[in-house]
Amino acid sequence: MGCCQPIDKVTAIVEQYKGEKGALIPVLHAVQKELGYLPKDALETIAAGLNIPASEVYGTTTFYTLFSTKEKAENIIRVCESGPCHVSGYQKVLEAIKEELNIEVGEATEDKKFYLEMTACLGVCAEAPAIMINDKTYVNLTPEKVKALLASF
Amino acid sequence: MNYIETDGVKIVLRNFGKIDPLKVEEYVARGGYESLKKALTAMTPEAVIEEVKASGLRGRGGAGFPTGLKWSFTKKDADQKYIVCNADEGEPGTAKDRLIMTGDPHGLIEGMAIAGYAIGATKGFIYCRGEYTTSINTLNHAINQARENGFLGENLFGTDFTFNLEVRSGAGAYVCGEETALIESIEGHRGMPRFKPPFPGGAGLWGKPTVVNNVETLANVPVILDKGADWYKSIGTEKSAGTKIFILCGNLRNTGALELPFGMTVREVMETYGGGLLTGRDLQMVHLGGAASGIMPPALIDTPLTYEDLQAVGQGLGSGVILAIDDQKDFMSYICSNTHFFEHESCGKCTPCREGTARINEILHRIAAGDGTLEDLDNLKDLGEMMQISALCGLGQAAPTPVLTSLEHFMDKYVEAVSGKKNEVNEEAVATEAIHKSYYEAAPIKLD
Amino acid sequence: MINLTIDGKQVQAESGMTILQAAKANGIEIPTFCYDPALSKAGACRICVVEVEGARLLAAACVAPIYEGMVVHTNSEKVQKSRRINLELLWANHNQDCLTCEKAGECKLQELCYKYGVTESRFEGKKRNLPIFDDNPFYIRDYNKCINCGKCIRACQEIQINETYDFVDRGFNTHPDTAYRVDLMAKESPCVFCGNCVAVCPTGALTSKINRGTFRTWEVEKKVKTTCTYCGCGCGLELNVIGNKVVRVTPDLSGTTPNEHGALCTKGRFGFDFINREDRLTNPLIKENGKFRKASWEEALDLIASKLKGIADVNGGNSLMFLSSARTTNEENYLMQKLSRAVFKTNNVDHCARL
Ligand SMILES: Cc1cc2nc3c(=O)[nH]c(=O)nc-3n(C[C@H](O)[C@H](O)[C@H](O)COP(=O)(O)O)c2cc1C
Ligand code: SF4
Ligand code: SF4
Ligand code: SF4
């Protein structure tokens, strides 16, 4: 695309989807993939470009847990807390992550390398407990395994 | 995802592990797209609907609505109709649709094209949950291949039927599995369900007649056309025809997903394929069907896994989850994890669910912490029963089910928990509560 | 026409009606929060639920269509119980300061809690706990009293066509807010302070700042119907009067005025404080030797007439210019141009409605 400002990338993405029906959520995904999160100026560009009220763009963004208006970190860790992971002991895995990274749920490490949050079911319930780091799911975890996994980042 | 091989007949997983899902030619080599060809060149849309009706196929997304009947209810005259595949798979414990999407994507695409032909839709959407990046990539790859090979696009098999397909990604909202919330989400809005009527079959996506079906439901369709409704109906039971993917998880020796004809009992499946519980453990309960279904006590595990038998004992098949929980797990803390889920996933549109899920969760955590009272139990029942009949959508209507069914079958545990024996504070319950608490504190309430 | 039974009464209603409409047409009231005939439907608050024989679920009367042979119970045991729990749920998540709430006496939540005997909630616990937004001269937003009916959002979108608000967040945290949660005066906020959102809010979540804390809703002695004088639209207003003072303006909802659905603009709704201002002119003043003095109307009008006539007689009517005010009625403005054109034979007439 030959552009270097983040906002130009947003404009380019919006251009690509313009005129498509129901473009908002695909655009939010694409922009977040590009920028890591959805800052206000990006949302403003999207609202103007797709001709959708800013209130609706913002309201929609805040509805979905995969969208973030805050900068989180380089890697986002999502720990599944649904029933199957619960009975398979996700609590110990979570403790291990918190201990290893020295952060609580909803926090980023100081070096902004990891952000920790919880998630509902990841759909790998027969291999619980499971976590997701960025786009990838990791299964059958134990405290030892998850520590080793974090070290590989 | 663990897949458990069985000896029996396979329908939706017939190609699983036998073909390279990224190669359309391997699907074709096993008879793929023949059913679509048959439908387009040798059957009228009405005949396709009749065949599906006669097969007895019922929706695999949780509600079990007869698929052929749903298709026949689609409004006839409209300039545009849509077929939408519900691949949101958000029901905790459910890990079946992803097997189909990543293992045999063309089976789903073929099923959708046939469904599109049957109802007169020229455009389809697959709404796949955002976390399933592999499924989304596999589907997009398969759609491109299908288009290149003339299985999608204009004038399929030389007929005047045109069908195009697009994958849309969800963004982390369980409620978007509810069909009208899903439609809202594809349109680009907050995933808040619509009131019904109008039903999607009358006015759905962008106000046009729309059929929403689950992945597994649609994946059955090519086989039904290929082998015929009679063959299909001969599998399973009278009222639950065909096969179902079950997901064995929790405290079993073997866990994984498997395709079985309807009719085995919960116990048989857990023992034959799950290998039973670990030595020295007893079964405490089975959470059958997913987070929104009932809690099953050990006394009921000889119930056959069919729509009708489970309904008769006040339980539900849901999406096919069999979550076994042994006696080492803390009862209250499990229920708390469930109520926490629904509070987190309520869309917030209607009062009974937005406020009710939060209060149920609050009361359960209070009880788990040893601060509950007997009145709390009455209040739970009152509130739960009100939500079942007054909430706007299936989420709020079903959210109290685990609490209400467990109150019915495990009253002793609740009474024990509220009877002031606070000294025996359960570590697991405390840990769970601490996690949930930190979660809420981290939840974005104001100012980013 | 459709035949149905509501509360044991055989009634008829037009096909296409909802249960709520059919009941209303037959004199049966069903309570509502999120329903407003002027707005699109939400079906969200569930306070209007009714029992339909043969149905597993209660039906939301505001959106459920009627059908032939339908049997409806609008106030059965089951219905009352559901409404009571609904109110308990709302009350538990409410900033319960009725004593000093501006809305007291006109609040729908208060009214229904009274009607259904809800004096306390069994579901007390955490609350929404948001700051109170006092960020503009016209109205205050206290979402701790908001019941998420969504009417403010729809009023702004559908009546004002301004889209200031949408719901933000999800589940228990859901509430209406502006894009990026900015203040209403921020440059990103499209709000024009028409107050149409305030007018539809059923609770004390959105309340006017004008004369706040100086009167109770039930002290309003009379509502004087009048026509807004700010511009030529001719919106119907009701001046709410206590003693000899206008304490607030509400729209004329009789349906006979040009402002359908009672829509008003910021001037018509909030701009009435001049009426009782101390520095407002209440007598004509005549300037003599560089100083104003009070005069009677007769004296002042005589003076004006003689001066105008004198100038016109000497220099002709075109030496005069008439400028009238939007703060007077259309009839008065009409008379002004008549005076100019018919009496003084000049077209030099203009009007200030260019605000
Ligand atoms: C809260 C909620 C979540 C749901 N999630 C799903 C889901 O993830 N996948 C699905 O197929 N159906 C889900 N459903 C059911 C759908 O609303 C709908 O009934 C189904 O997609 C219809 O397809 P079927 O007839 O083929 O089962 C959900 C329903 C509710 C109320
Ligand atoms: S029941 Fe829950 S999820 Fe469904 S509309 Fe109401 S608040 Fe939303
Ligand atoms: S005052 Fe008018 S413009 Fe402002 S938010 Fe309310 S309705 Fe919208
Ligand atoms: S602020 Fe008032 S009108 Fe708006 S949603 Fe809340 S209660 Fe309804």
Side-chain angles (χ1 to χ4, degrees):
Chain A
M1 287 175 212
C3 53
C4 41
Q5 291 297 314
I7 206 69
D8 297 334
K9 290 184 185 157
V10 178
T11 309
I13 291 168
V14 171
E15 280 307 314
Q16 197 189 320
Y17 284 89
K18 229 177 193 166
E20 227 175 85
K21 278 187 145 190
L24 179 57
I25 290 175
V27 167
L28 291 173
H29 271 301
V31 170
Q32 179 160 289
K33 192 159 187 187
E34 190 64 46
L35 306 182
Y37 72 116
L38 295 162
K40 182 164 159 247
D41 57 349
L43 293 178
E44 283 173 330
T45 307
I46 293 170
L50 297 179
N51 198 18
I52 300 174
S55 54
E56 198 183 322
V57 170
Y58 186 76
T60 303
T61 305
T62 60
F63 183 85
Y64 295 96
T65 54
L66 288 186
F67 294 141
S68 174
T69 53
K70 275 190 295 196
E71 188 162 14
K72 285 181 173 168
E74 199 187 324
N75 302 295
I76 298 174
I77 307 172
R78 297 190 167 94
V79 180
C80 174
E81 58 174 344
S82 286
C85 282
H86 182 93
V87 302
S88 308
Y90 82 83
Q91 298 87 339
K92 294 203 181 74
V93 173
L94 178 66
E95 280 314 310
I97 298 172
K98 290 207 265 190
E99 196 185 295
E100 191 68 12
L101 302 178
N102 198 19
I103 49 173
E104 288 297 319
V105 177
E107 286 179 4
T109 53
E110 242 163 54
D111 58 0
K112 293 266 174 219
K113 189 158 180 202
F114 291 104
Y115 183 88
L116 177 60
E117 62 187 34
M118 306 302 291
T119 178
C121 187
L122 296 171
V124 285
C125 318
E127 294 161 290
I131 70 169
M132 199 168 167
I133 303 183
N134 306 327
D135 280 356
K136 221 169 161 242
T137 306
Y138 302 87
V139 298
N140 283 329
L141 292 170
T142 60
E144 295 71 42
K145 278 200 214 165
V146 81
K147 283 185 185 170
L149 175 64
L150 292 178
S152 72
F153 273 80
Chain B
M1 181 76 201
N2 284 356
Y3 169 65
I4 301 177
E5 188 58 74
T6 65
D7 300 333
V9 53
K10 308 274 185 354
I11 296 175
V12 294
L13 296 180
R14 64 194 178 284
N15 293 324
F16 188 85
K18 301 208 169 61
I19 62 169
D20 180 345
L22 298 179
K23 294 193 172 137
V24 65
E25 57 277 16
E26 295 196 12
Y27 180 69
V28 171
R30 287 176 59 90
Y33 289 109
E34 282 300 320
S35 296
L36 177 59
K37 184 176 174 190
K38 180 174 166 186
L40 296 187
T41 57
M43 295 171 84
T44 62
E46 293 74 29
V48 174
I49 294 182
E50 281 313 312
E51 193 73 16
V52 173
K53 259 192 196 166
S55 75
L57 175 64
R58 295 170 66 164
R60 304 288 195 247
F65 193 83
T67 306
L69 200 61
K70 186 189 269 188
W71 292 4
S72 70
F73 287 161
T74 320
K75 197 167 162 229
K76 295 284 171 302
D77 46 333
D79 54 346
Q80 173 76 59
K81 298 184 210 177
Y82 297 104
I83 172 91
V84 173
C85 171
N86 189 339
D88 198 48
E89 188 146 271
E91 192 67 48
T94 313
K96 62 184 185 75
D97 296 340
R98 97 186 280 160
L99 284 188
I100 297 171
M101 293 187 285
T102 56
D104 193 15
H106 289 285
L108 172 60
I109 294 171
E110 185 174 3
M112 285 194 76
I114 296 170
Y117 174 69
I119 64 160
T122 54
K123 171 103 198 194
F125 288 92
I126 302 176
Y127 184 88
C128 185
R129 62 179 308 193
E131 291 86 346
Y132 279 9
T133 42
T134 317
S135 300
I136 293 170
N137 292 341
T138 310
L139 284 170
N140 277 321
H141 178 86
I143 288 170
N144 283 335
Q145 283 192 332
R147 200 178 293 125
E148 284 159 14
N149 286 274
F151 302 130
L152 285 176
E154 316 233 309
N155 301 101
L156 299 178
F157 296 100
T159 66
D160 58 7
F161 181 64
T162 293
F163 188 71
N164 286 300
L165 205 48
E166 200 180 307
V167 181
R168 287 290 174 97
S169 163
Y174 163 70
V175 68
C176 288
E178 197 281 338
E179 54 187 5
T180 60
L182 187 155
I183 287 171
E184 285 283 320
S185 187
I186 294 181
E187 290 184 4
H189 307 136
R190 294 167 59 86
M192 302 204 295
R194 300 174 177 172
F195 53 81
K196 296 187 252 192
F199 291 91
L205 194 54
W206 292 297
K208 306 293 183 193
T210 304
V211 166
V212 181
N213 273 132
N214 173 255
V215 174
E216 190 184 349
T217 313
L218 290 162
N220 272 289
V221 171
V223 181
I224 291 173
L225 289 206
D226 177 30
K227 304 209 168 162
D230 290 340
W231 174 85
Y232 191 85
K233 226 179 155 13
S234 71
I235 300 162
T237 68
E238 173 70 24
K239 286 189 179 136
S240 304
T243 59
K244 174 84 195 77
I245 305 182
F246 293 101
I247 307 95
L248 281 169
C249 54
N251 309 133
L252 294 166
R253 276 177 209 276
N254 297 326
T255 52
L258 70 168
E259 182 173 2
L260 289 173
F262 284 102
M264 280 178 89
T265 66
V266 181
R267 184 199 299 275
E268 282 165 359
V269 177
M270 288 201 301
E271 285 177 0
T272 315
Y273 300 102
L277 303 169
L278 293 179
T279 320
R281 306 258 174 109
D282 280 327
L283 183 67
Q284 179 171 198
M285 57 184 157
V286 179
H287 201 169
L288 187 75
S293 299
I295 302 271
M296 181 179 257
L300 289 179
I301 63 170
D302 290 312
T303 314
L305 287 159
T306 66
Y307 294 108
E308 60 278 16
D309 292 295
L310 288 167
Q311 200 190 351
V313 296
Q315 300 274 328
L317 188 69
S319 52
V321 184
I322 303 175
L323 171 58
I325 303 172
D326 70 26
D327 57 353
Q328 304 281 297
K329 299 291 162 235
D330 181 56
F331 175 83
M332 277 304 157
S333 126
Y334 178 74
I335 305 289
C336 283
S337 80
N338 180 272
T339 56
H340 164 74
F341 170 76
F342 285 113
E343 167 170 4
H344 185 246
E345 297 299 337
S346 166
C347 85
K349 179 169 177 173
C350 75
T351 309
C353 172
R354 179 187 65 249
E355 309 293 330
T357 50
R359 298 311 172 198
I360 287 186
N361 189 31
E362 227 167 37
I363 297 173
L364 255 306
H365 276 81
R366 196 157 68 217
I367 294 174
D371 294 328
T373 62
L374 278 172
E375 288 88 81
D376 280 333
L377 304 185
D378 290 337
N379 295 344
L380 278 177
K381 193 154 176 288
D382 262 12
L383 175 54
E385 286 172 357
M386 178 268 192
M387 289 166 67
Q388 285 184 318
I389 55 172
S390 299
L392 190 156
C393 89
L395 191 150
Q397 290 157 15
T401 311
V403 173
L404 292 176
T405 48
S406 63
L407 272 170
E408 185 187 338
H409 298 295
F410 295 92
M411 193 43 136
D412 53 327
K413 292 199 194 273
Y414 281 95
V415 172
E416 188 186 318
V418 298
S419 60
K421 280 192 247 159
K422 213 177 159 178
N423 43 350
E424 258 185 66
V425 173
N426 185 295
E427 267 179 41
E428 197 178 325
V430 171
T432 308
E433 178 165 20
I435 293 167
H436 291 171
K437 224 167 148 187
S438 67
Y439 190 59
Y440 288 122
E441 278 155 11
I445 297 207
K446 187 65 198 161
L447 299 179
D448 294 322
Chain C
M1 277 305 220
I2 294 218
N3 299 293
L4 69 163
T5 312
I6 307 182
D7 296 346
K9 235 170 78 180
Q10 299 270 347
V11 301
Q12 283 203 324
E14 269 169 56
S15 144
M17 276 187 165
T18 60
I19 297 175
L20 183 74
Q21 288 168 323
K24 197 173 167 125
N26 288 284
I28 297 167
E29 284 296 327
I30 297 173
T32 58
F33 279 129
C34 71
Y35 172 79
D36 188 315
L39 303 174
S40 63
K41 290 175 192 151
C45 75
R46 317 307 283 180
I47 201 71
C48 72
V49 289
V50 296
E51 198 173 341
V52 176
E53 281 187 15
R56 187 175 57 89
L57 308 171
L58 298 181
C62 68
V63 291
I66 54 168
Y67 55 80
E68 186 66 33
M70 191 179 214
V71 182
V72 183
H73 302 281
T74 71
N75 215 10
S76 66
E77 185 92 15
K78 222 172 167 180
V79 168
Q80 290 194 22
K81 191 166 174 192
S82 175
R83 288 191 191 145
R84 234 174 261 125
I85 293 175
N86 191 317
L87 292 166
E88 281 185 82
L89 288 172
L90 292 174
W91 187 238
N93 191 9
H94 197 81
N95 173 6
Q96 303 163 344
D97 72 345
C98 293
L99 293 185
T100 50
C101 180
E102 281 295 309
K103 196 79 176 186
E106 286 179 346
C107 170
K108 221 56 201 268
L109 181 61
Q110 197 182 47
E111 179 193 323
L112 291 183
C113 283
Y114 180 81
K115 200 163 161 185
Y116 287 89
V118 174
T119 52
E120 58 182 356
S121 174
R122 289 170 289 163
F123 306 108
E124 291 288 345
K126 64 177 176 176
K127 301 220 180 213
R128 194 177 266 156
N129 207 10
L130 287 167
I132 294 174
F133 301 111
D134 182 1
D135 54 14
N136 70 83
F138 304 100
Y139 69 101
I140 288 181
R141 298 181 287 150
D142 179 0
Y143 293 126
N144 306 308
K145 292 183 181 170
C146 165
I147 59 169
N148 274 20
C149 70
K151 280 203 243 185
C152 54
I153 299 172
R154 283 175 282 145
C156 191
Q157 286 175 353
E158 298 167 18
I159 296 180
Q160 192 61 21
I161 327 276
N162 213 16
E163 293 143 339
T164 304
Y165 296 122
D166 198 350
F167 283 119
V168 302
D169 294 337
R170 188 170 83 192
F172 190 81
N173 295 329
T174 310
H175 65 91
D177 210 336
T178 56
Y180 326 112
R181 303 172 214 249
V182 294
D183 285 354
L184 286 171
M185 296 290 267
K187 70 176 190 323
E188 295 91 341
S189 161
C191 180
V192 295
F193 304 104
C194 64
N196 286 316
C197 53
V198 181
V200 295
C201 181
T203 70
L206 303 181
T207 46
S208 165
K209 283 176 80 168
I210 317 294
N211 289 332
R212 196 178 184 81
T214 65
F215 72 101
R216 311 295 346 232
T217 54
W218 54 85
E219 289 170 348
V220 170
E221 289 160 4
K222 52 183 177 195
K223 294 191 174 181
V224 181
K225 278 193 198 302
T226 185
T227 303
C228 180
T229 55
Y230 273 110
C231 81
C233 288
C235 294
L237 307 179
E238 289 179 345
L239 303 177
N240 292 217
V241 179
I242 299 177
N244 205 21
K245 195 175 172 224
V246 176
V247 292
R248 70 172 175 185
V249 167
T250 48
D252 179 347
L253 291 171
S254 63
T256 56
T257 60
N259 52 328
E260 242 189 311
H261 315 315
L264 293 178
C265 79
T266 187
K267 292 176 286 168
R269 190 184 312 276
F270 297 118
F272 59 90
D273 56 339
F274 67 89
I275 300 172
N276 298 96
R277 287 276 295 226
E278 298 251 311
D279 49 358
R280 183 183 165 193
L281 288 182
T282 49
N283 291 85
L285 301 178
I286 292 174
K287 204 177 208 176
E288 279 173 354
N289 306 321
K291 273 205 167 140
F292 282 114
R293 71 159 170 86
K294 272 192 185 172
S296 71
W297 283 105
E298 287 75 23
E299 188 191 359
L301 286 171
D302 283 348
L303 179 67
I304 293 168
S306 68
K307 292 241 170 179
L308 288 177
K309 198 162 177 299
I311 296 168
D313 285 348
V314 176
N315 299 313
N318 277 336
S319 64
L320 293 170
M321 158 85 198
F322 294 81
L323 184 67
S324 66
S325 163
R327 289 254 166 109
T328 57
T329 62
N330 284 347
E331 290 80 354
E332 287 163 331
N333 280 304
Y334 175 83
L335 291 174
M336 183 67 131
Q337 64 84 35
K338 266 290 185 221
L339 180 72
S340 154
R341 294 197 170 110
V343 179
F344 291 101
K345 309 270 187 267
T346 176
N347 288 327
N348 292 344
V349 59
D350 204 357
H351 181 271
C352 80
R354 304 166 187 276
L355 291 160

